[in-house]
Amino acid sequence: MVNGKCDCGKVSFQVEEVRDTVTVCHCSQCRRTSGHVWASTHAPYEKVSFTADEGLTWYSSSDFAKRGFFKFCGSSLFYLMNNEEGIAIAAGCLNEPTNLHIGKHIFVKDKGDYYEITDGAPQIQRF
């Protein structure tokens, strides 16, 4: 069982199992909503159970997806495609040890000009 929570702990959840890789997204929208890059793992939505979710808010960030965040502490927690059964879960909100590793970088063409990607993981220019 994998456990996660927002910064203040008022949103908490359990997931039976998550993908063991993290996708790092460098698109401008992810950079704006997270403050740098969006790093997430993935799980089937039906495998996520909330132990507390008062204040969890969903924002339709595009025609095809929405983002879940906690409206009080501001933690960015989830990314949910409208036509997908899985959910992206922010790697940083999971309790350690996560045993995760970076699997790939996406939207590298849009990355910020203030950093380099040097970890050796595959870099995909778009998605």
Side-chain angles (χ1 to χ4, degrees):
M1 191 66 71
V2 178
N3 296 297
K5 63 182 182 177
C6 69
D7 189 42
C8 71
K10 290 185 179 176
V11 171
S12 59
F13 60 93
Q14 296 179 326
V15 184
E16 289 180 29
E17 185 177 350
V18 296
R19 186 182 61 203
D20 67 351
T21 58
V22 171
T23 298
V24 181
C25 184
H26 300 268
C27 79
S28 61
Q29 187 179 61
C30 282
R31 289 187 292 114
R32 282 191 304 274
T33 62
S34 71
H36 178 46
V37 297
W38 171 253
S40 64
T41 187
H42 198 270
Y45 187 77
E46 69 272 3
K47 300 292 184 181
V48 178
S49 62
F50 289 94
T51 52
D53 65 355
E54 182 182 352
L56 177 61
T57 302
W58 292 93
Y59 162 67
S60 293
S61 56
S62 68
D63 292 341
F64 53 86
K66 56 188 171 185
R67 295 171 187 270
F69 66 95
F70 185 54
K71 69 180 183 179
F72 298 115
C73 71
S75 295
S76 182
L77 302 169
F78 305 107
Y79 182 81
L80 184 62
M81 301 282 286
N82 295 339
N83 296 324
E84 187 177 304
E85 294 181 11
I87 186 169
I89 303 169
C93 74
L94 298 175
N95 296 344
E96 294 183 347
T98 65
N99 299 313
L100 302 175
H101 63 277
I102 294 177
K104 64 184 172 185
H105 296 266
I106 61 173
F107 292 99
V108 171
K109 184 174 178 161
D110 300 331
K111 80 172 202 55
D113 62 359
Y114 57 91
Y115 64 95
E116 297 298 321
I117 303 168
T118 60
D119 61 14
Q123 297 183 26
I124 300 167
Q125 295 301 304
R126 291 283 180 206
F127 183 73

